Coordinates of all heavy atoms in Angstrom, one line a residue:
M7 N 10.2 9.9 17.8 CA 9.6 9.0 16.8 C 10.5 7.8 16.7 O 11.7 7.9 16.6 CB 9.4 9.7 15.5 CG 8.9 8.8 14.4 SD 8.7 9.8 12.9 CE 8.2 8.5 11.8
T8 N 10.0 6.6 16.7 CA 10.8 5.4 16.6 C 10.9 5.0 15.1 O 10.0 5.4 14.3 CB 10.2 4.2 17.3 OG1 8.9 4.0 16.8 CG2 10.1 4.4 18.8
T9 N 11.9 4.4 14.7 CA 12.1 3.9 13.4 C 11.2 2.7 13.1 O 11.3 1.7 13.9 CB 13.6 3.5 13.1 OG1 14.4 4.7 13.4 CG2 13.8 3.1 11.7
P10 N 10.4 2.7 12.1 CA 9.5 1.5 11.9 C 10.3 0.3 11.4 O 11.3 0.4 10.8 CB 8.6 2.0 10.8 CG 9.3 3.1 10.1 CD 10.2 3.8 11.1
K11 N 9.9 -0.8 11.9 CA 10.5 -2.1 11.4 C 9.6 -2.6 10.3 O 8.4 -2.5 10.3 CB 10.5 -3.1 12.6 CG 11.3 -2.7 13.7 CD 11.3 -3.7 14.8 CE 12.4 -3.3 15.9 NZ 11.8 -2.8 17.1
I12 N 10.3 -3.1 9.3 CA 9.7 -3.5 8.0 C 9.8 -5.0 7.9 O 10.9 -5.6 8.0 CB 10.2 -2.8 6.8 CG1 10.0 -1.3 6.9 CG2 9.6 -3.4 5.5 CD1 10.7 -0.5 5.9
T13 N 8.7 -5.7 7.6 CA 8.8 -7.1 7.2 C 8.3 -7.3 5.8 O 7.2 -6.8 5.5 CB 7.8 -7.9 8.2 OG1 8.3 -7.8 9.5 CG2 7.8 -9.4 7.8
Y14 N 9.1 -7.8 5.0 CA 8.7 -8.0 3.6 C 8.3 -9.4 3.4 O 9.0 -10.4 3.7 CB 10.0 -7.7 2.7 CG 9.6 -7.7 1.2 CD1 9.2 -6.6 0.6 CD2 9.8 -8.9 0.4 CE1 8.9 -6.6 -0.8 CE2 9.5 -8.9 -0.9 CZ 9.0 -7.7 -1.5 OH 8.7 -7.7 -2.8
I15 N 7.0 -9.6 2.9 CA 6.5 -10.9 2.6 C 6.5 -11.2 1.1 O 6.0 -10.4 0.4 CB 5.0 -11.0 3.1 CG1 5.0 -10.7 4.6 CG2 4.5 -12.4 2.8 CD1 3.6 -10.5 5.1
L16 N 7.2 -12.2 0.8 CA 7.4 -12.6 -0.6 C 6.8 -14.0 -0.8 O 7.1 -14.9 0.0 CB 8.8 -12.5 -1.1 CG 9.2 -13.0 -2.4 CD1 8.7 -12.0 -3.5 CD2 10.7 -13.2 -2.6
G17 N 6.0 -14.2 -1.8 CA 5.4 -15.5 -2.1 C 4.9 -15.6 -3.5 O 4.5 -14.6 -4.1
A18 N 4.9 -16.8 -4.0 CA 4.2 -17.0 -5.3 C 2.7 -16.8 -5.2 O 2.2 -16.8 -4.1 CB 4.6 -18.4 -5.8
G19 N 2.1 -16.7 -6.3 CA 0.6 -16.5 -6.4 C 0.0 -17.7 -5.7 O 0.4 -18.8 -5.9
R20 N -1.0 -17.4 -4.9 CA -1.8 -18.4 -4.2 C -1.0 -19.2 -3.2 O -1.3 -20.4 -3.0 CB -2.6 -19.3 -5.2 CG -3.3 -18.4 -6.2 CD -4.5 -19.1 -6.9 NE -5.5 -19.6 -6.0 CZ -6.5 -18.9 -5.4 NH1 -6.6 -17.6 -5.5 NH2 -7.4 -19.6 -4.7
S21 N 0.0 -18.6 -2.6 CA 0.8 -19.3 -1.6 C 0.4 -19.0 -0.2 O 1.0 -19.6 0.7 CB 2.3 -19.0 -1.9 OG 2.5 -17.6 -1.6
G22 N -0.5 -18.0 0.0 CA -0.9 -17.7 1.3 C -0.3 -16.4 1.8 O -0.5 -16.0 3.0
S23 N 0.5 -15.7 1.0 CA 1.1 -14.5 1.4 C 0.1 -13.4 1.8 O 0.3 -12.6 2.8 CB 2.1 -13.9 0.4 OG 1.5 -13.7 -0.8
T24 N -1.0 -13.3 1.1 CA -2.0 -12.3 1.5 C -2.6 -12.6 2.8 O -2.9 -11.7 3.6 CB -3.1 -12.2 0.3 OG1 -2.4 -11.8 -0.9 CG2 -4.1 -11.1 0.7
V25 N -2.9 -13.9 3.0 CA -3.5 -14.3 4.3 C -2.5 -14.0 5.4 O -2.9 -13.5 6.5 CB -3.8 -15.8 4.3 CG1 -4.3 -16.3 5.7 CG2 -4.9 -16.1 3.3
L26 N -1.2 -14.3 5.2 CA -0.2 -13.9 6.2 C -0.2 -12.4 6.5 O -0.1 -12.0 7.7 CB 1.2 -14.4 5.8 CG 2.3 -14.1 6.7 CD1 2.1 -14.8 8.1 CD2 3.6 -14.7 6.1
E27 N -0.2 -11.6 5.4 CA -0.2 -10.2 5.6 C -1.4 -9.7 6.4 O -1.3 -9.0 7.4 CB -0.2 -9.5 4.3 CG -0.2 -7.9 4.4 CD -0.9 -7.2 3.3 OE1 -1.4 -7.9 2.4 OE2 -0.8 -6.0 3.3
R28 N -2.6 -10.3 6.1 CA -3.8 -9.9 6.8 C -3.7 -10.3 8.3 O -4.2 -9.6 9.2 CB -5.0 -10.4 6.1 CG -5.2 -9.9 4.7 CD -6.4 -9.2 4.4 NE -6.3 -8.5 3.2 CZ -7.2 -8.6 2.2 NH1 -8.3 -9.3 2.4 NH2 -7.1 -7.9 1.1
L29 N -3.2 -11.5 8.5 CA -3.1 -12.0 9.9 C -2.2 -11.0 10.7 O -2.5 -10.6 11.8 CB -2.5 -13.4 9.9 CG -2.3 -14.0 11.2 CD1 -3.6 -14.3 12.0 CD2 -1.6 -15.4 11.1
L30 N -1.0 -10.8 10.1 CA 0.0 -9.9 10.8 C -0.6 -8.5 11.0 O -0.4 -7.9 12.1 CB 1.3 -9.8 10.0 CG 2.1 -11.1 10.0 CD1 3.3 -11.0 9.0 CD2 2.6 -11.5 11.3
S31 N -1.2 -7.9 10.0 CA -1.7 -6.6 10.1 C -2.9 -6.4 11.0 O -3.4 -5.3 11.3 CB -1.9 -6.0 8.7 OG -2.9 -6.7 8.0
S32 N -3.4 -7.5 11.5 CA -4.6 -7.5 12.5 C -4.0 -7.1 13.9 O -4.8 -6.8 14.8 CB -5.4 -8.7 12.5 OG -4.6 -9.8 13.0
A33 N -2.7 -7.2 14.0 CA -2.1 -6.9 15.3 C -2.0 -5.4 15.5 O -1.9 -4.7 14.5 CB -0.7 -7.5 15.4
P34 N -2.1 -4.9 16.8 CA -1.9 -3.5 17.0 C -0.6 -3.0 16.5 O 0.4 -3.7 16.6 CB -2.0 -3.4 18.5 CG -2.5 -4.7 19.1 CD -2.2 -5.7 18.0
D35 N -0.5 -1.8 16.1 CA 0.7 -1.2 15.6 C 1.4 -1.8 14.4 O 2.6 -1.6 14.1 CB 1.7 -1.1 16.8 CG 1.2 -0.2 17.9 OD1 0.5 0.7 17.7 OD2 1.6 -0.6 19.1
V36 N 0.6 -2.6 13.7 CA 1.1 -3.2 12.5 C 0.3 -2.8 11.3 O -0.9 -2.7 11.4 CB 1.1 -4.8 12.5 CG1 1.6 -5.4 11.2 CG2 2.0 -5.3 13.7
V37 N 0.9 -2.4 10.2 CA 0.2 -1.9 9.0 C 0.6 -2.7 7.8 O 1.8 -2.9 7.5 CB 0.6 -0.4 8.7 CG1 -0.1 0.0 7.4 CG2 0.2 0.5 9.9
G38 N -0.4 -3.3 7.2 CA -0.1 -4.0 6.0 C -0.3 -3.1 4.8 O -1.3 -2.5 4.7
V39 N 0.7 -3.0 4.0 CA 0.6 -2.0 2.9 C 0.3 -2.7 1.5 O 0.3 -2.1 0.5 CB 1.9 -1.2 2.7 CG1 2.1 -0.3 4.0 CG2 3.1 -2.0 2.4
G40 N 0.1 -4.0 1.6 CA -0.3 -4.7 0.4 C 0.8 -4.7 -0.7 O 1.9 -4.7 -0.4
E41 N 0.4 -4.8 -1.9 CA 1.3 -4.8 -3.0 C 1.7 -3.4 -3.4 O 1.4 -3.0 -4.6 CB 0.8 -5.7 -4.1 CG 0.5 -7.1 -3.7 CD 0.1 -8.0 -4.8 OE1 0.4 -7.7 -6.0 OE2 -0.6 -9.0 -4.5
V42 N 2.3 -2.7 -2.5 CA 2.6 -1.3 -2.8 C 3.5 -1.1 -4.0 O 3.5 0.0 -4.6 CB 3.2 -0.6 -1.5 CG1 4.6 -1.1 -1.2 CG2 3.1 0.9 -1.5
A43 N 4.3 -2.1 -4.3 CA 5.2 -2.0 -5.5 C 4.5 -1.9 -6.8 O 5.1 -1.6 -7.8 CB 6.2 -3.1 -5.5
T44 N 3.2 -2.2 -6.8 CA 2.4 -2.1 -8.0 C 1.3 -1.1 -7.9 O 0.3 -1.2 -8.6 CB 1.8 -3.5 -8.4 OG1 0.9 -3.9 -7.3 CG2 2.9 -4.6 -8.5
L45 N 1.5 -0.2 -7.0 CA 0.4 0.8 -6.7 C 0.0 1.6 -7.9 O -1.2 2.0 -8.0 CB 1.0 1.8 -5.6 CG 0.0 2.7 -5.0 CD1 -1.1 2.0 -4.2 CD2 0.7 3.6 -4.0
W46 N 0.8 1.8 -8.8 CA 0.5 2.7 -10.0 C -0.2 1.9 -11.1 O -0.5 2.5 -12.1 CB 1.7 3.4 -10.5 CG 2.8 2.4 -10.8 CD1 2.9 1.7 -12.0 CD2 3.9 1.9 -10.0 NE1 4.0 0.8 -12.0 CE2 4.6 1.0 -10.7 CE3 4.3 2.3 -8.7 CZ2 5.8 0.4 -10.2 CZ3 5.4 1.7 -8.2 CH2 6.1 0.7 -9.0
R47 N -0.4 0.6 -11.0 CA -0.9 -0.1 -12.1 C -2.5 0.0 -12.2 O -3.0 -0.4 -13.2 CB -0.6 -1.6 -11.9 CG 0.9 -1.8 -12.2 CD 1.2 -3.3 -12.2 NE 2.7 -3.4 -12.4 CZ 3.3 -4.5 -12.1 NH1 2.7 -5.6 -11.7 NH2 4.6 -4.6 -12.3
Q48 N -3.1 0.6 -11.3 CA -4.5 0.9 -11.4 C -4.8 2.1 -10.7 O -4.1 2.6 -9.8 CB -5.4 -0.3 -10.9 CG -5.1 -0.7 -9.5 CD -5.8 -2.0 -9.2 OE1 -6.9 -2.2 -9.6 NE2 -5.2 -2.8 -8.3
P49 N -6.0 2.8 -11.0 CA -6.3 4.1 -10.4 C -6.4 3.9 -8.9 O -7.0 2.8 -8.4 CB -7.6 4.5 -11.0 CG -7.7 3.7 -12.3 CD -6.9 2.4 -12.0
L50 N -6.0 4.9 -8.1 CA -6.1 4.8 -6.6 C -7.5 4.6 -6.2 O -7.8 3.9 -5.2 CB -5.5 6.1 -6.1 CG -5.1 6.1 -4.6 CD1 -4.1 5.0 -4.3 CD2 -4.6 7.5 -4.2
S51 N -8.5 5.1 -7.0 CA -9.9 5.0 -6.6 C -10.4 3.6 -6.7 O -11.4 3.3 -6.2 CB -10.7 5.9 -7.5 OG -10.5 5.6 -8.9
D52 N -9.6 2.7 -7.4 CA -10.0 1.3 -7.5 C -9.5 0.4 -6.4 O -9.8 -0.8 -6.4 CB -9.6 0.7 -8.9 CG -10.3 1.3 -10.1 OD1 -11.3 2.0 -9.8 OD2 -9.9 1.0 -11.2
L53 N -8.6 1.0 -5.6 CA -8.0 0.2 -4.5 C -8.7 0.3 -3.2 O -9.2 1.3 -2.8 CB -6.5 0.6 -4.4 CG -5.6 0.5 -5.6 CD1 -4.3 1.2 -5.3 CD2 -5.5 -0.9 -6.0
T54 N -8.7 -0.8 -2.5 CA -9.2 -0.8 -1.1 C -8.1 -1.1 -0.2 O -7.3 -2.1 -0.4 CB -10.3 -1.9 -1.0 OG1 -11.4 -1.7 -1.9 CG2 -10.9 -2.0 0.4
C55 N -8.0 -0.3 0.9 CA -6.9 -0.5 1.9 C -7.2 -1.7 2.7 O -8.4 -2.2 2.8 CB -6.9 0.7 2.7 SG -5.6 0.6 4.0
S56 N -6.2 -2.3 3.3 CA -6.4 -3.4 4.2 C -7.2 -3.1 5.4 O -7.8 -4.0 6.0 CB -5.0 -4.0 4.6 OG -4.3 -3.1 5.3
C57 N -7.4 -1.8 5.7 CA -8.3 -1.4 6.8 C -9.8 -1.5 6.4 O -10.7 -1.3 7.2 CB -8.0 0.0 7.3 SG -8.5 1.3 6.2
G58 N -10.0 -1.7 5.0 CA -11.4 -1.8 4.5 C -11.9 -0.5 3.9 O -12.9 -0.5 3.2
A59 N -11.2 0.6 4.0 CA -11.6 1.9 3.4 C -11.1 1.9 2.0 O -10.1 1.4 1.7 CB -11.1 3.0 4.2
P60 N -11.9 2.6 1.1 CA -11.3 2.9 -0.2 C -10.0 3.7 -0.1 O -9.9 4.6 0.8 CB -12.4 3.8 -0.8 CG -13.7 3.5 -0.1 CD -13.2 3.2 1.3
A61 N -9.0 3.4 -0.8 CA -7.7 3.9 -0.7 C -7.7 5.5 -0.6 O -7.0 6.0 0.3 CB -6.7 3.5 -1.8
P62 N -8.4 6.2 -1.5 CA -8.4 7.6 -1.4 C -9.0 8.2 -0.1 O -8.7 9.3 0.3 CB -9.2 8.1 -2.6 CG -9.3 6.9 -3.5 CD -9.2 5.7 -2.6
E63 N -9.8 7.4 0.6 CA -10.4 7.9 1.9 C -9.7 7.4 3.1 O -10.1 7.8 4.2 CB -11.9 7.4 1.9 CG -12.7 8.0 0.7 CD -14.1 7.4 0.6 OE1 -14.6 6.8 1.6 OE2 -14.6 7.4 -0.5
C64 N -8.7 6.5 3.0 CA -8.1 5.9 4.1 C -7.2 7.0 4.8 O -6.4 7.6 4.2 CB -7.2 4.7 3.7 SG -6.1 4.2 5.0
A65 N -7.4 7.1 6.1 CA -6.6 8.2 6.9 C -5.1 7.9 6.8 O -4.3 8.8 6.7 CB -7.1 8.2 8.3
F66 N -4.7 6.6 7.0 CA -3.3 6.3 7.0 C -2.7 6.7 5.6 O -1.7 7.4 5.6 CB -3.1 4.8 7.2 CG -1.7 4.3 7.0 CD1 -0.8 4.4 8.0 CD2 -1.3 3.7 5.8 CE1 0.5 4.0 7.9 CE2 0.0 3.3 5.6 CZ 0.9 3.4 6.7
W67 N -3.3 6.2 4.5 CA -2.7 6.5 3.2 C -2.8 8.0 2.8 O -1.9 8.5 2.1 CB -3.3 5.6 2.1 CG -2.8 4.3 2.2 CD1 -3.4 3.1 2.6 CD2 -1.4 3.9 1.9 NE1 -2.6 2.1 2.6 CE2 -1.3 2.5 2.2 CE3 -0.3 4.5 1.5 CZ2 -0.2 1.8 2.0 CZ3 0.9 3.8 1.3 CH2 0.9 2.4 1.6
T68 N -3.8 8.7 3.3 CA -3.9 10.1 3.0 C -2.8 10.8 3.7 O -2.1 11.7 3.1 CB -5.3 10.6 3.5 OG1 -6.3 10.0 2.8 CG2 -5.4 12.2 3.4
D69 N -2.4 10.4 4.9 CA -1.3 11.0 5.7 C 0.0 10.7 5.0 O 0.8 11.5 4.8 CB -1.4 10.5 7.1 CG -0.4 11.2 8.0 OD1 -0.2 12.4 7.9 OD2 0.3 10.5 8.8
V70 N 0.2 9.4 4.6 CA 1.4 9.0 3.9 C 1.6 9.8 2.6 O 2.7 10.4 2.3 CB 1.4 7.5 3.6 CG1 2.6 7.1 2.7 CG2 1.5 6.7 4.9
R71 N 0.5 9.9 1.8 CA 0.7 10.6 0.5 C 1.0 12.1 0.8 O 1.8 12.6 0.0 CB -0.6 10.4 -0.3 CG -0.7 9.0 -0.9 CD -1.9 8.9 -1.8 NE -3.1 8.8 -1.0 CZ -4.2 9.6 -1.3 NH1 -4.2 10.4 -2.3 NH2 -5.2 9.5 -0.5
A72 N 0.4 12.6 1.8 CA 0.7 14.1 2.1 C 2.1 14.3 2.5 O 2.8 15.2 2.1 CB -0.3 14.6 3.1
K73 N 2.6 13.4 3.3 CA 4.0 13.5 3.8 C 5.0 13.3 2.8 O 6.1 13.9 2.8 CB 4.2 12.5 5.0 CG 3.6 13.0 6.3 CD 3.9 12.0 7.4 CE 3.2 12.5 8.7 NZ 3.2 11.6 9.7
V74 N 4.8 12.4 1.8 CA 5.8 12.2 0.8 C 5.5 12.9 -0.6 O 6.3 12.8 -1.5 CB 6.0 10.6 0.5 CG1 6.5 9.9 1.8 CG2 4.7 10.0 -0.1
G75 N 4.4 13.6 -0.6 CA 4.1 14.3 -1.8 C 3.7 13.4 -3.0 O 4.0 13.7 -4.1
F76 N 3.0 12.3 -2.6 CA 2.6 11.3 -3.6 C 1.2 11.7 -4.1 O 0.2 11.5 -3.4 CB 2.6 10.0 -2.9 CG 2.9 8.8 -3.8 CD1 4.2 8.6 -4.2 CD2 2.0 7.9 -4.2 CE1 4.5 7.5 -5.0 CE2 2.3 6.8 -5.0 CZ 3.5 6.7 -5.4
S77 N 1.1 12.2 -5.3 CA -0.2 12.6 -5.8 C -0.7 11.6 -7.0 O 0.1 10.7 -7.4 CB -0.1 14.0 -6.4 OG 0.7 14.0 -7.6
D78 N -1.8 11.9 -7.5 CA -2.3 11.1 -8.6 C -1.4 11.2 -9.8 O -1.2 10.3 -10.6 CB -3.8 11.5 -9.0 CG -4.8 11.0 -8.0 OD1 -4.5 10.1 -7.2 OD2 -5.9 11.6 -8.0
S79 N -0.8 12.4 -10.0 CA 0.1 12.6 -11.2 C 1.4 11.8 -11.0 O 1.9 11.4 -11.9 CB 0.3 14.1 -11.4 OG 1.1 14.6 -10.4
T80 N 1.8 11.6 -9.7 CA 3.0 10.8 -9.4 C 2.7 9.4 -9.9 O 3.5 8.7 -10.5 CB 3.3 10.8 -7.9 OG1 3.4 12.1 -7.4 CG2 4.6 10.0 -7.6
L81 N 1.4 8.9 -9.6 CA 1.1 7.5 -10.0 C 1.1 7.4 -11.5 O 1.5 6.4 -12.1 CB -0.3 7.2 -9.4 CG -0.4 7.0 -7.9 CD1 -1.8 6.8 -7.5 CD2 0.5 5.9 -7.4
R82 N 0.6 8.4 -12.2 CA 0.5 8.4 -13.6 C 2.0 8.4 -14.2 O 2.3 7.6 -15.1 CB -0.3 9.6 -14.2 CG -1.8 9.4 -14.1 CD -2.5 10.4 -14.9 NE -2.3 11.8 -14.4 CZ -3.0 12.4 -13.4 NH1 -4.0 11.7 -12.9 NH2 -2.8 13.6 -13.1
D83 N 2.9 9.2 -13.6 CA 4.2 9.2 -14.0 C 4.9 7.9 -13.9 O 5.7 7.4 -14.7 CB 5.0 10.3 -13.2 CG 4.6 11.7 -13.6 OD1 3.9 11.9 -14.6 OD2 5.0 12.6 -12.8
L84 N 4.7 7.2 -12.7 CA 5.2 5.9 -12.5 C 4.7 4.8 -13.4 O 5.5 4.0 -13.9 CB 5.0 5.4 -11.0 CG 5.7 6.2 -9.9 CD1 5.1 5.8 -8.6 CD2 7.2 5.9 -10.0
A85 N 3.4 4.9 -13.7 CA 2.8 3.9 -14.7 C 3.5 4.1 -16.1 O 3.8 3.2 -16.7 CB 1.3 4.1 -14.7
E86 N 3.6 5.4 -16.4 CA 4.2 5.7 -17.7 C 5.7 5.2 -17.8 O 6.2 4.6 -18.8 CB 4.2 7.2 -18.0 CG 4.4 7.5 -19.5 CD 4.1 9.0 -19.7 OE1 3.0 9.4 -19.5 OE2 5.1 9.7 -20.1
A87 N 6.4 5.4 -16.7 CA 7.8 4.9 -16.6 C 8.0 3.4 -16.7 O 8.9 2.9 -17.3 CB 8.5 5.5 -15.3
E88 N 7.0 2.7 -16.1 CA 7.1 1.3 -16.1 C 6.8 0.8 -17.5 O 7.4 -0.2 -18.0 CB 6.0 0.7 -15.2 CG 6.1 -0.8 -15.1 CD 5.1 -1.5 -14.2 OE1 3.9 -1.1 -14.3 OE2 5.5 -2.3 -13.4
Ligands
ZN25 ZN1 -6.5 2.1 5.5

């Protein structure tokens, strides 16, 4: 397994950072994770993955959540902590 390379895109609101993320994540072997730092601010069921699938049904995120043990109660705990 290779170590993934991470590109962090930072920008002010309406600066084009989302467009840049979508452009980059259209390339093979690139995954756009969106605003993952605010993942707990709304129910997972309200989120749509950049692949177009509802977040709870996305194969990528389902695999990630399973590997790191990230459950709905984890999201609630993070929201409460914030
Ligand atoms: Zn997805």
Side-chain angles (χ1 to χ4, degrees):
M7 180 177 173
T8 59
T9 302
K11 294 182 173 106
I12 298 172
T13 299
Y14 187 85
I15 301 169
L16 175 69
R20 310 205 52 82
S21 66
S23 57
T24 300
V25 172
L26 178 59
E27 179 206 7
R28 300 239 168 132
L29 179 67
L30 292 172
S31 61
S32 69
D35 300 326
V36 176
V37 174
V39 297
E41 297 184 27
V42 72
T44 61
L45 190 61
W46 55 83
R47 290 187 181 161
Q48 54 188 328
L50 198 59
S51 58
D52 289 354
L53 300 175
T54 301
C55 179
S56 60
C57 74
E63 298 171 21
C64 169
F66 173 81
W67 284 108
T68 299
D69 189 40
V70 168
R71 284 184 290 129
K73 285 182 178 168
V74 300
F76 211 74
S77 68
D78 287 342
S79 67
T80 308
L81 295 174
R82 283 192 296 273
D83 291 345
L84 289 169
E86 196 171 299
E88 183 182 48

